[in-house]
C-alpha cells in the first residue's frame, strides 16, 4: 500500500498548523489564524480520506 500521498497531505497540514502556532503572537498571523487552521485541518482530513481510499482500493 502506498502511503506517501496521505502522509504528505497530513504532514503538510501538521506543519502548517505548527508554523501558525509558533507565529501566533504576530498581528498579521493573528488576523488570518482561523483561515490557516481551517486549511491545516482540511489537509489532515484529506490525508485521512486518501489513506482510507487507498487502503480500500488495495483490498
Amino acid at each position: 500500500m502506498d502511503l506517501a500521498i496521505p502522509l504528505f497531505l497530513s504532514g503538510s497540514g501538521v506543519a502548517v498548523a505548527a508554523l501558525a502556532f509558533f507565529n501566533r503572537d504576530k498581528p498579521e498571523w493573528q488576523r488570518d489564524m482561523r483561515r490557516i487552521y481551517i486549511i491545516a485541518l482540511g489537509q489532515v482530513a484529506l490525508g485521512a480520506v486518501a489513506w482510507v481510499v487507498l487502503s480500500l482500493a488495495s483490498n
Side-chain angles (χ1 to χ4, degrees):
M1 178 168 44
D2 186 28
L3 294 177
I5 294 171
L7 284 175
F8 175 75
L9 287 169
S10 295
S12 64
V14 170
V16 167
L19 185 65
F21 179 78
F22 286 119
N23 288 308
R24 69 186 181 275
D25 294 332
K26 297 179 182 177
E28 61 272 4
W29 283 81
Q30 288 176 353
R31 191 172 35 251
D32 295 327
M33 195 61 70
R34 179 180 292 218
R35 190 174 312 139
I36 293 168
Y37 279 145
I38 289 172
I39 291 169
L41 286 171
Q43 286 177 311
V44 171
L46 195 59
V49 169
W51 175 75
V52 168
V53 168
L54 288 174
S55 66
L56 290 175
S58 68
N59 289 336

